[in-house]
Amino acid sequence: GNQKATHLDSFQGKKSQHAEEAIFYMNCRAAYLTVLKSSLENIKSKEQLSLVLQQAGRNPSQKTINKYWTSQTTSLNFDDFCAILKKEKPATKNELLEAFGKIDRDKTGYILHDELCKILTTRGDKMTWEEVSSITKQADFNCNGKLDYNKFCELYLTTREQCCKAARARLDSDPRLRQQHFGNQSGNSSEGITLPGSKPSPRVSRKTDHKLAKGDSRALSRPSSAQSSKASTSTTVSVGASSSSRNTKLIIEPDTMKDWQCAQCKGCFYLEEEGEIISHKYRLHLPQRSAVCVTIKPFRIPQAEGKSCHWLSVDTALFILKESETQENLQLVSFTELQNEEMFGWRGELGAGVYWLLPFTTGCRLRKVKTQITGEAKLVWRDEDGELALTEEFRAALLDIFETIDLDGNGLLSLEEYNFFELRTSGEKCDQEAWAVCKENFEMKKNELTRQGFLDLNLMEANDQDGDPWDLWVTLLSLGYNKALEMTEACPFVIGICAERCKPRIKAISLEAGVSQLSRAVCRSVVDKGEAKVLDGSENIFIYTYRSGSRITSVIENKSENKVIIHVNNEQSKNCLNNRGLTVFAVEVAPKSMMVSQHVMALNEQEEWIYSCVHSLV
């Protein structure tokens, strides 16, 4: 009986949670559709963003708007809007009263109009005198030249609630709006790939901080897109606990490869402010045809032993492309689909020539996460003689960085390796003349910078700023570190190449986003290896699903002459997280093109996870 009661309580808890989520998303849509015609229409300006947030009961400051609309932002979609609302909670009455209480130090419950006007017109998002006067003229909460801020807060909250109710009522009364889908997840990582017209055979976002459904049932969550769709298809994949890392063992037996010639090179995935992931790209040269083994895995920094290494759980992959006459037409050869714990690999035979190696991560685990940091780490200090020195914590972080940017692992930084560091942290390169100056002032060996030279170079930068750590923090943040000196928004990796009959040569060529070549390779790999399903009721829309080790990727192909909008519903998935961060979303697929729908991984690999997805034509 107690067990039944526990199960009932758990069910009721899930039911309540799902109901709350359904209400949240309906309110999001109501506010969004008050300003925009469709939930597939994007927010195009700061003014529109401010307006839709106000319709959702928020009162965003200019600082808040600037946080989500940066100099690189051109538009925000409905999914972005939902993510913002989850982060920016509406102010409560206690919070409002606390803010007014800081002005009313005598706790009288009133603030003089003159004092209020002075504060509102000179601090924060400054108001005009006319705007302040419109508040102080309201008889409901004004009393003899003073503002009764208790009444003002009550009126503000009532007005906000009425605004939200009016938007919801409009949505409920309009069947056309009620039937619209929930959003349009489009972004750099979900780039649509146009198909060649001569091939008739069937055949990547902004991230937010929310996870896929973890419950067994989502009947009370947002309504399934299949209810109002023209055509749909569903896919379910169950994966046992921890089986993802045992899926297909990558066996590299020392006795069979002991005479093979090997090369390796390090690199790093960096998470950009807008959620885009950039990484090093490589060129591989094979002098002759040979059996080859290619591997990639997160790099375990020697000095980081015992520290929290967030990046070790990030999934990695490597796509091998054959160089042709034009770099625009790189041909996918294969990719690392074999897995042994955190290592992914591929074994096969490659002909002589030049190949491109494009590192890839889904973004499921390398993503923006808000963490509470109690205090900012100290980077420099002054000794008893007043001389600046690096703190032990900062020295340790710099040595970790050195290991990461020392791509060939020889314990020294060449000018090329140092320039990747400079491009990432300052956007500029160091030329030969500047490198010669470095050689005169900092320890070098064989014209390459030593660890001590790298530490001294950063100390010089601190001295140049007279101990102000601002520039040092710019460097650290651009390399994925937070203010506690933890690397949380980067994932260093190491690539290994072994060849049976020749010496492979690998070289880092650039540090940039994956762009279309990588998107095309990911789509092609899923189409070639995955299970294909035609969207029921639509002979020109195909959904491909492929499981590679610890991840599942789905690709949508639109063979029709018209663009289509596909609604993606993961409500029945269990213990999953995806690269888009939302349970339900929509994607727009251009005519004669294909694009990644989503990447999905286990939230907790120690437990069973179920990928259950419905793709529906809107």
Side-chain angles (χ1 to χ4, degrees):
N2 289 338
Q3 192 173 14
K4 285 184 179 179
T6 302
H7 284 313
L8 181 60
D9 289 343
S10 176
F11 173 76
Q12 294 292 351
K14 287 181 181 179
K15 183 176 178 181
S16 173
Q17 178 186 345
H18 300 337
E20 287 176 10
E21 186 181 349
I23 293 169
F24 169 77
Y25 281 106
M26 288 303 289
N27 287 337
C28 286
R29 294 186 63 239
Y32 201 82
L33 296 174
T34 301
V35 179
L36 299 156
K37 295 178 182 178
S38 162
S39 53
L40 286 175
E41 186 178 339
N42 288 348
I43 299 168
K44 296 286 183 18
S45 66
K46 285 185 177 183
E47 292 72 26
Q48 273 193 334
L49 176 59
S50 180
L51 197 54
V52 289
L53 288 173
Q54 288 169 4
Q55 291 295 330
R58 310 307 193 259
N59 188 27
S61 65
Q62 195 58 47
K63 182 179 179 181
T64 299
I65 296 296
N66 290 338
K67 179 165 68 171
Y68 298 106
W69 194 284
T70 68
S71 58
Q72 284 79 41
T73 307
T74 56
S75 66
L76 295 171
N77 60 36
F78 176 73
D79 295 334
D80 299 322
F81 174 65
C82 294
I84 292 171
L85 289 188
K86 283 200 171 185
K87 294 176 185 177
E88 303 297 332
K89 305 295 184 185
T92 64
K93 184 175 182 180
N94 286 340
E95 288 171 337
L96 292 170
L97 291 175
E98 185 180 344
F100 279 113
K102 290 177 181 178
I103 305 171
D104 178 24
R105 294 179 181 176
D106 296 331
K107 307 304 177 188
T108 63
Y110 298 94
I111 298 173
L112 291 172
H113 288 174
D114 290 345
E115 186 177 3
L116 181 67
C117 185
K118 181 181 178 181
I119 291 170
L120 295 181
T121 57
T122 59
R123 298 183 190 176
D125 288 350
K126 302 178 184 64
M127 298 175 67
T128 64
W129 186 88
E130 290 78 10
E131 287 171 331
V132 178
S133 294
S134 66
I135 297 173
T136 58
K137 287 177 182 177
Q138 298 289 326
D140 292 343
F141 44 80
N142 282 285
C143 180
N144 298 324
K146 295 182 291 184
L147 174 77
D148 184 335
Y149 58 83
N150 274 281
K151 287 185 178 179
F152 174 80
C153 290
E154 288 173 5
L155 181 63
Y156 169 79
L157 294 172
T158 301
T159 304
R160 185 177 74 188
E161 186 178 351
Q162 289 173 346
C163 181
C164 293
K165 282 183 177 179
R168 182 62 187 271
R170 177 175 175 267
L171 178 68
D172 291 339
S173 64
D174 191 331
R176 180 186 60 82
L177 292 178
R178 212 168 47 240
Q179 289 171 5
Q180 282 187 12
H181 34 279
F182 290 93
N184 172 15
Q185 273 282 12
S186 60
N188 294 326
S189 60
S190 301
E191 179 179 342
I193 305 300
T194 304
L195 298 176
S198 59
K199 281 213 171 185
S201 58
R203 308 237 264 185
V204 198
S205 112
R206 249 171 224 147
K207 293 177 285 187
T208 56
D209 297 321
H210 316 300
K211 296 181 175 65
L212 279 173
K214 289 184 275 184
D216 295 323
S217 169
R218 281 302 183 115
L220 294 175
S221 185
R222 288 184 279 171
S224 170
S225 59
Q227 294 172 0
S228 61
S229 66
K230 300 174 183 176
S232 68
T233 188
S234 62
T235 304
T236 301
V237 180
S238 297
V239 184
S242 296
S243 69
S244 58
S245 62
R246 302 194 303 263
N247 182 35
T248 311
K249 286 286 187 179
L250 175 66
I251 301 172
I252 304 177
E253 300 179 49
D255 57 338
T256 63
M257 293 180 57
K258 61 183 179 181
D259 297 324
W260 288 29
Q261 299 185 68
C262 299
Q264 75 170 27
C265 195
K266 288 180 279 189
C268 197
F269 296 111
Y270 295 108
L271 188 59
E272 296 281 66
E273 192 63 37
E274 296 302 307
E276 186 179 38
I277 296 172
I278 72 168
S279 75
H280 295 83
K281 306 289 183 291
Y282 304 83
R283 185 175 283 150
L284 169 67
H285 178 251
L286 292 176
Q288 67 184 79
R289 176 174 289 276
S290 175
V292 174
C293 177
V294 181
T295 62
I296 184 172
K297 63 179 180 179
F299 176 55
R300 291 179 179 269
I301 301 174
Q303 287 89 345
E305 292 296 329
K307 299 179 186 176
S308 178
C309 302
H310 306 269
W311 68 88
L312 292 178
S313 65
V314 172
D315 60 291
T316 59
L318 200 61
F319 286 83
I320 307 166
L321 287 76
K322 182 73 171 71
E323 189 172 80
S324 57
E325 292 181 5
T326 61
Q327 190 181 326
E328 294 301 315
N329 275 326
L330 298 179
Q331 298 299 313
L332 176 65
V333 175
S334 193
F335 62 100
T336 53
E337 58 180 326
L338 303 174
Q339 184 179 3
N340 184 2
E341 296 181 346
E342 75 271 17
M343 177 187 284
F344 279 81
W346 174 81
R347 291 184 68 170
E349 188 162 296
L350 294 177
V354 177
Y355 297 84
W356 283 79
L357 303 180
L358 305 184
F360 170 75
T361 183
T362 60
C364 292
R365 292 186 176 147
L366 183 59
R367 61 198 310 167
K368 293 282 180 183
V369 178
K370 274 193 173 181
T371 53
Q372 193 68 35
I373 298 173
T374 53
E376 182 178 299
K378 195 172 181 180
L379 304 185
V380 294
W381 63 288
R382 291 190 183 274
D383 61 20
E384 56 188 18
D385 296 325
E387 296 293 322
L388 275 176
L390 306 178
T391 63
E392 287 301 314
E393 295 88 350
F394 185 35
R395 282 177 59 89
L398 286 173
L399 289 174
D400 288 351
I401 290 168
F402 186 95
E403 290 293 333
T404 300
I405 63 178
D406 175 20
L407 302 184
D408 61 10
N410 72 343
L412 300 167
L413 292 184
S414 67
L415 176 57
E416 282 186 330
E417 290 170 330
Y418 183 76
N419 271 334
F420 281 123
F421 166 78
E422 279 292 308
L423 283 170
R424 178 61 192 162
T425 57
S426 70
E428 299 176 353
K429 275 189 174 185
C430 176
D431 58 22
Q432 290 289 349
E433 186 178 344
W435 193 242
V437 174
C438 282
K439 191 173 182 177
E440 292 173 3
N441 292 276
F442 306 107
E443 184 181 86
M444 284 199 182
K445 290 181 181 178
K446 300 176 183 178
N447 202 37
E448 295 188 332
L449 193 65
T450 65
R451 289 182 176 84
Q452 186 58 50
F454 183 67
L455 292 174
D456 291 342
L457 191 152
N458 280 275
L459 178 57
M460 182 200 73
E461 187 172 336
N463 274 300
D464 286 347
Q465 301 300 320
D466 196 29
D468 186 340
W470 171 260
D471 286 348
L472 298 175
W473 276 119
V474 169
T475 295
L476 288 164
L477 294 173
S478 67
L479 294 173
Y481 282 79
N482 62 20
K483 287 300 183 78
L485 288 180
E486 300 168 324
M487 190 195 297
T488 56
E489 295 187 357
C491 171
F493 56 79
V494 59
I495 294 171
I497 312 286
C498 291
E500 184 180 20
R501 292 189 287 275
C502 62
K503 175 67 175 176
R505 295 200 303 269
I506 179 174
K507 183 177 182 180
I509 299 299
S510 63
L511 179 60
E512 60 189 15
V515 296
S516 61
Q517 291 289 0
L518 183 57
S519 299
R520 186 176 288 108
V522 172
C523 287
R524 189 73 257 171
S525 67
V526 174
V527 167
D528 289 345
K529 299 273 190 175
E531 175 194 6
K533 285 187 178 182
V534 64
L535 210 65
D536 294 340
S538 177
E539 60 183 15
N540 291 319
I541 312 297
F542 292 84
I543 309 297
Y544 298 87
T545 306
Y546 176 60
R547 179 183 166 201
S548 175
S550 57
R551 74 172 187 267
I552 292 172
T553 299
S554 63
V555 166
I556 304 169
E557 180 188 6
N558 175 19
K559 297 181 69 179
S560 73
E561 301 290 340
N562 304 303
K563 75 173 183 182
V564 296
I565 295 168
I566 304 296
H567 206 185
V568 185
N569 189 316
N570 297 288
E571 292 174 320
Q572 299 302 318
S573 290
K574 177 184 177 183
N575 186 31
C576 291
L577 59 90
N578 74 0
N579 66 309
R580 295 180 177 276
L582 288 174
T583 306
V584 180
F585 56 89
V587 292
E588 185 178 288
V589 190
K592 300 289 184 181
S593 72
M594 59 181 171
M595 68 180 298
V596 171
S597 169
Q598 62 182 339
H599 303 287
V600 181
M601 298 184 70
L603 185 60
N604 180 355
E605 288 188 324
Q606 304 308 311
E607 298 177 3
E608 178 191 41
W609 57 290
I610 298 173
Y611 167 72
S612 183
C613 179
V614 177
H615 286 85
S616 307
L617 180 65
V618 175

